[in-house]
Amino acid sequence: MDLYSGYINRLIAELSVLPGIGQKTAQRLAFYMINMPKESVEKLAGAMVEARNKVKYCKCCFTLTDDEICPICSNSKRDHKQIMVVENTRDLHAYEKTGRYEGVYHVLHGAINPSMGIGPNDIRLKELIERLEHDVDEVIIATNSSIEGETTAMYISKLIKPTGIRVTRIASGVPVGGELEYIDEVTLSRALDARVEL
Amino acid sequence: MDLYSGYINRLIAELSVLPGIGQKTAQRLAFYMINMPKESVEKLAGAMVEARNKVKYCKCCFTLTDDEICPICSNSKRDHKQIMVVENTRDLHAYEKTGRYEGVYHVLHGAINPSMGIGPNDIRLKELIERLEHDVDEVIIATNSSIEGETTAMYISKLIKPTGIRVTRIASGVPVGGELEYIDEVTLSRALDARVEL
């Protein structure tokens, strides 16, 4: 017998595919939505579809943005000779919140992970190398301090070092195994200050 | 400066209104959605709007359903002389999963909570009393064992007792302060077996 309602079951199933949303949470969210004002549900649904369809990748650093070129890349006050390489837009956001970094970014959208079949060509690495043809002084590697992040850092370092461009890695003030986006601003700032040559 | 993108910011803001979804989780969900296939996002958004707009309250027991009368109320094999009173549809679902209950339900959609200004007229209590005009042997009160749930149970008991209909309360095998929907099926079954006269 179909408990509840087919509509609610379908909604619970759809919500369960989201990361960190189990069956119980999906149920709770579904029932909450049923009791929300009609307009609020439509606004939420609209925001999802609109964000999915309209957000672009910055043509320069590949962060997610509404424009062709993101506000950071198009800001002439930022130091375009210093590029911080991060795994994703959330990590960029984490460093922006420190207010300590004045260079630009490069968002890889992933990290090298051989066991998952993710190689150097599956992240935005080629695009980083292309950017180095312009005038770049330093590449700061700020991938996560996970195995994948460290692997990616080593890979990028070996690739760039022959060009003579300075390659640094944010200091291991970042707890080993930690995810960059959850770390407090002070620790992130210290890790930037204590960055070391690779 | 607008970090990320206006579309993503709007989506994060919309997601943050959901219960149990904080800023960080909203961010994580938003970025996940950006990377979902377009069709999947549209399916999820569609399921939300459809469930909100099409789900009805059963005209008999007030559970959420796709039909005028829910599958339980329209099932002639269920014992319509036994009514279990629950706070919400999730609690009904929790008891259905035990497979131990063969009567019907009445969903109050809340509990009496004077401090929040929720009185007997703000829940589906009048509708329960109206149902007692038909042939009813027993009302089993299965509201939560929270203060509000107990208050509601006492209130309903006092209201029904003069009619001579048997009023029972599920046993306190349910941990005090616990929420019915999170309790395992064995405990729920035992609580049903050990129900006591009120």
Side-chain angles (χ1 to χ4, degrees):
Chain A
M1 191 194 61
D2 206 354
L3 278 168
Y4 301 146
S5 123
Y7 298 117
I8 297 183
N9 285 341
R10 195 187 135 207
L11 176 54
I12 292 171
E14 289 289 338
L15 288 169
S16 302
V17 306
L18 298 173
I21 307 286
Q23 188 67 16
K24 279 282 174 197
T25 309
Q27 227 178 70
R28 194 165 263 281
L29 288 175
F31 281 106
Y32 184 87
M33 287 174 185
I34 301 296
N35 290 304
M36 275 166 79
K38 197 169 179 277
E39 301 70 39
S40 304
V41 175
E42 282 164 0
K43 256 180 75 183
L44 170 56
M48 282 166 43
V49 173
E50 195 173 35
R52 171 62 187 80
N53 294 347
K54 294 202 176 163
V55 168
K56 304 181 188 70
Y57 293 106
C58 169
K59 287 196 169 169
C60 180
C61 75
F62 295 93
T63 192
L64 294 164
T65 175
D66 294 353
D67 313 301
E68 295 293 303
I69 301 291
C70 80
I72 296 170
C73 286
S74 57
N75 183 347
S76 60
K77 287 179 187 155
R78 307 286 298 223
D79 181 356
H80 289 255
K81 294 183 176 182
Q82 200 178 32
I83 299 178
M84 180 183 283
V85 180
V86 291
E87 291 185 22
N88 57 52
T89 300
R90 293 190 299 277
D91 296 340
L92 177 156
H93 184 63
Y95 254 109
E96 276 303 285
K97 278 201 297 184
T98 67
R100 271 279 291 105
Y101 179 64
E102 287 168 1
V104 293
Y105 294 92
H106 189 85
V107 183
L108 295 172
H109 291 284
I112 297 171
N113 187 346
S115 68
M116 295 286 281
I118 301 168
N121 294 328
D122 300 313
I123 58 178
R124 298 284 191 176
L125 198 49
K126 186 168 56 74
E127 291 86 348
L128 171 65
I129 303 305
E130 283 165 12
R131 286 178 73 181
L132 303 183
E133 285 164 21
H134 304 283
D135 195 9
V136 173
D137 288 341
E138 181 180 2
V139 173
I140 304 171
I141 306 179
T143 51
N144 283 328
S145 71
S146 59
I147 294 172
E148 296 77 26
E150 294 293 350
T151 306
T152 308
M154 292 311 297
Y155 189 92
I156 296 174
S157 159
K158 278 183 191 160
L159 215 60
I160 298 177
K161 275 206 147 174
T163 66
I165 294 170
R166 189 180 174 207
V167 186
T168 56
R169 175 92 172 102
I170 53 166
S172 63
V174 175
V176 174
E179 302 259 311
L180 219 72
E181 61 176 311
Y182 292 118
I183 297 163
D184 65 277
E185 288 142 61
V186 176
T187 309
L188 288 175
S189 292
R190 276 189 200 156
L192 179 65
D193 289 333
R195 66 185 186 268
V196 293
E197 299 291 335
L198 286 186
Chain B
M1 190 192 60
D2 208 353
L3 279 168
Y4 301 145
S5 124
Y7 297 118
I8 297 182
N9 284 341
R10 196 187 134 206
L11 177 54
I12 292 172
E14 289 289 338
L15 289 168
S16 302
V17 306
L18 298 173
I21 307 287
Q23 188 67 16
K24 279 282 174 198
T25 309
Q27 226 177 72
R28 195 167 262 281
L29 289 175
F31 281 105
Y32 183 86
M33 288 173 184
I34 301 297
N35 290 304
M36 275 165 79
K38 197 168 179 275
E39 302 69 40
S40 304
V41 175
E42 282 163 1
K43 257 179 77 185
L44 170 56
M48 281 167 43
V49 172
E50 195 172 36
R52 172 61 186 81
N53 293 346
K54 295 202 176 164
V55 168
K56 303 181 187 70
Y57 293 107
C58 170
K59 288 198 168 169
C60 179
C61 75
F62 295 94
T63 194
L64 294 164
T65 175
D66 295 353
D67 313 300
E68 296 292 302
I69 302 291
C70 79
I72 296 171
C73 285
S74 57
N75 184 347
S76 61
K77 287 180 188 153
R78 307 286 299 221
D79 180 356
H80 289 256
K81 294 184 176 182
Q82 200 176 31
I83 300 178
M84 180 183 282
V85 180
V86 291
E87 291 185 23
N88 57 52
T89 299
R90 293 190 299 277
D91 296 340
L92 177 158
H93 184 65
Y95 254 109
E96 277 303 286
K97 278 201 296 184
T98 69
R100 269 280 291 104
Y101 180 64
E102 287 169 0
V104 293
Y105 294 91
H106 189 86
V107 182
L108 295 174
H109 290 284
I112 296 171
N113 187 344
S115 69
M116 295 287 281
I118 300 168
N121 294 328
D122 300 312
I123 58 179
R124 299 283 190 175
L125 199 48
K126 185 168 55 76
E127 292 85 349
L128 171 65
I129 303 304
E130 282 165 12
R131 287 177 72 182
L132 303 183
E133 285 164 23
H134 304 282
D135 195 10
V136 173
D137 287 339
E138 181 180 2
V139 173
I140 304 172
I141 306 178
T143 50
N144 283 328
S145 71
S146 59
I147 294 173
E148 296 76 26
E150 294 294 349
T151 305
T152 308
M154 291 311 297
Y155 188 91
I156 295 175
S157 160
K158 278 183 192 160
L159 214 59
I160 298 178
K161 276 207 149 175
T163 67
I165 295 169
R166 190 180 174 206
V167 185
T168 56
R169 176 91 172 104
I170 53 167
S172 63
V174 176
V176 173
E179 302 258 308
L180 220 72
E181 61 177 309
Y182 293 116
I183 298 162
D184 65 278
E185 288 144 52
V186 176
T187 310
L188 287 174
S189 290
R190 276 190 200 154
L192 180 64
D193 290 333
R195 67 186 184 269
V196 294
E197 300 290 337
L198 286 186

